[in-house]
């Protein structure tokens, strides 16, 4: 299969230098390998996604000289696919509904017997308050659209191979210097540092983790190129691929572009927005220069 990668921005603010780095890196890798560069608009968070940000994404990327295949995949068009995967997990008894608020979770996680609250890819690792409720069944009411969590203990039991030498999560990290090579994560580590993650967020019917895994498979992605801040999330993604019978791509987690104080750029860092550099007369070559590409 030819090298296929993607850039997957969320249209919730302006693209900044960090996005430009990710997009150009992925694009150039695809071109150098005679492969494919795809785009995906990650707009499941309807409360934050805006059409004008989406339009600006296309404009900025084209200005940077990037070309991508069309049609562009848009997550908001794929809600039925996410629901089918959730139904599959529900039928296997792997999800439970969770009525805990953020404050409940913070309080339970910092109870004296729990030790210091542990931070996982999605913030505080869920302390398991609702885990012993019976699994949610398809068609069960979800009062207040309560989130659905993955029962990680059960999920790991399903992904453990009879040949116990194979760990539930194994993937190739092709970029991050401290992790380069085959990364293997044990069940014990996943239980401890990831825990019961949310797969259907309140009012959303899906989550970043579930959508990204289904979309990468649907787009035939062989190589995911993205920032090192998502390295921990990759453990979740590979586990979901295993659970849902999807292929695992190779991962290239690249270094993050930081501001002068060493902080990584966030969406609100409008000072580093590509559109602002453009308005100030920068050329695409200047942007490449600024990010060292
Ligand atoms: N939509 C995510 C973001 O903008 C990127 C997800 C990914 O590359 O897997 O941070």
């Amino acid at each position: 299969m030819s090298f296929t990668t993607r850039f997957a921005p969320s249209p919730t603010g302006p693209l900044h230098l960090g996005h430009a780095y990710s997009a150009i890196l992925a694009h150039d890798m695809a071109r150098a390998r005679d492969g494919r560069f795809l785009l995906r608009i990650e707009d499941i968070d309807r409360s934050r996604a805006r059409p004008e940000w989406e339009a600006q994404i296309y404009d900025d990327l084209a200005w940077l000289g990037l070309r991508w295949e069309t049609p562009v995949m848009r997550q908001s068009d794929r809600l039925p696919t996410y629901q089918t995967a959730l139904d599959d997990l529900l039928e296997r008894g792997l999800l439970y509904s969770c009525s805990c608020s953020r404050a409940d979770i913070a309080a339970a996680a910092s109870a004296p017997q729990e030790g210091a609250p542990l931070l996982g890819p999605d913030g505080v690792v869920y302390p398991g308050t609702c885990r012993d409720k019976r699994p949610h069944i398809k068609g069960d009411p979800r009062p207040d659209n309560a989130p659905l969590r993955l029962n990680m203990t059960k999920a790991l039991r399903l992904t453990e191979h009879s040949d116990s030498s194979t760990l539930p999560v194994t993937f190739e990290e092709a970029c991050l210097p401290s992790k380069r090579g085959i990364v293997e994560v044990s069940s014990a580590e996943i239980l401890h540092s990831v825990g019961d993650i949310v797969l259907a967020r309140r009012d959303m019917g899906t989550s970043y983790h579930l959508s990204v895994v289904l979309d990468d498979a649907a787009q035939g992605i062989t190589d995911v190129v993205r920032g090192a801040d998502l390295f921990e999330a990759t453990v979740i993604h590979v586990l979901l691929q295993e659970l849902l019978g999807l292929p695992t791509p190779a991962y290239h987690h690249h270094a993050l572009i930081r501001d002068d104080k060493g902080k990584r750029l966030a969406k609100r860092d409008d000072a580093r927005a590509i559109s602002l550099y453009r308005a100030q007369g920068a050329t695409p070559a200047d942007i490449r220069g600024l990010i060292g590409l």
Side-chain angles (χ1 to χ4, degrees):
M1 211 184 337
S2 75
F3 180 100
T4 304
T5 191
R6 50 47 168 201
F7 177 57
S10 306
T12 55
L15 293 187
H16 55 55
L17 289 183
H19 297 107
Y21 186 76
S22 237
I24 296 175
L25 198 63
H27 176 270
D28 289 2
M29 280 170 80
R31 291 292 169 266
R33 289 163 173 79
D34 216 4
R36 302 173 64 201
F37 174 71
L38 310 179
L39 192 57
R40 181 166 76 229
I41 300 295
E42 301 211 322
D43 60 350
I44 47 172
D45 188 345
R46 305 308 288 159
S47 65
R48 293 171 62 223
R50 297 270 177 280
E52 52 276 26
W53 292 127
E54 184 177 332
Q56 179 84 51
I57 287 171
Y58 300 135
D59 201 44
D60 283 343
L61 295 178
W63 176 80
L64 283 168
L66 309 192
R67 299 290 173 263
W68 56 89
E69 292 181 22
T70 52
V72 169
M73 180 178 277
R74 203 196 272 116
Q75 288 189 326
S76 54
D77 293 335
R78 291 180 42 78
L79 300 182
T81 302
Y82 308 144
Q83 188 57 52
T84 303
L86 276 178
D87 287 346
D88 172 38
L89 296 172
L90 285 172
E91 267 157 31
R92 293 153 77 191
L94 287 168
L95 305 180
Y96 62 88
S97 79
C98 171
S99 47
C100 297
S101 66
R102 262 177 216 270
D104 295 334
I105 295 172
S110 57
Q113 70 276 13
E114 299 286 338
L118 219 108
L119 285 183
D122 287 347
V124 175
V125 174
Y126 184 61
T129 318
C130 294
R131 184 184 301 141
D132 293 331
K133 291 201 295 198
R134 72 170 174 81
H136 196 82
I137 294 172
K138 191 177 162 189
D140 271 356
R142 264 166 75 196
D144 300 323
N145 267 326
L148 294 175
R149 288 187 180 275
L150 178 67
N151 183 322
M152 192 58 92
T153 312
K154 278 192 186 174
L156 288 167
R157 221 175 285 139
L158 286 183
T159 53
E160 272 162 5
H161 303 269
S162 44
D163 161 16
S164 59
S165 63
T166 317
L167 294 169
V169 164
T170 305
F171 63 94
E172 184 193 349
E173 171 56 53
C175 182
L176 199 62
S178 60
K179 306 277 185 191
R180 194 175 293 160
I182 300 299
V183 178
E184 293 185 309
V185 192
S186 69
S187 296
E189 217 173 318
I190 298 169
L191 269 184
H192 178 72
S193 62
V194 176
D196 293 0
I197 41 141
V198 169
L199 287 190
R201 286 174 55 187
R202 191 184 297 281
D203 300 327
M204 218 183 254
T206 186
S207 58
Y208 160 64
H209 300 304
L210 183 68
S211 301
V212 90
V213 158
L214 292 165
D215 297 345
D216 282 340
Q219 289 190 298
I221 301 301
T222 62
D223 291 77
V224 171
V225 180
R226 63 185 180 192
D229 54 332
L230 288 169
F231 181 83
E232 308 300 333
T234 298
V235 174
I236 300 174
H237 300 170
V238 176
L239 183 86
L240 289 177
Q241 287 152 5
E242 190 70 29
L243 265 185
L244 297 167
L246 304 172
T248 293
Y251 287 87
H252 308 244
H253 291 97
H254 59 71
L256 301 175
I257 301 290
R258 298 183 181 276
D259 67 14
D260 310 334
K261 297 194 185 75
K263 237 180 92 245
R264 80 180 166 89
L265 301 184
K267 274 268 154 71
R268 57 193 168 280
D269 282 304
D270 292 1
R272 307 263 181 333
I274 297 164
S275 50
L276 202 71
Y277 285 101
R278 290 175 64 181
Q280 290 167 350
T283 64
D286 294 332
I287 301 288
R288 281 186 177 260
L290 279 171
I291 54 183
L293 283 176

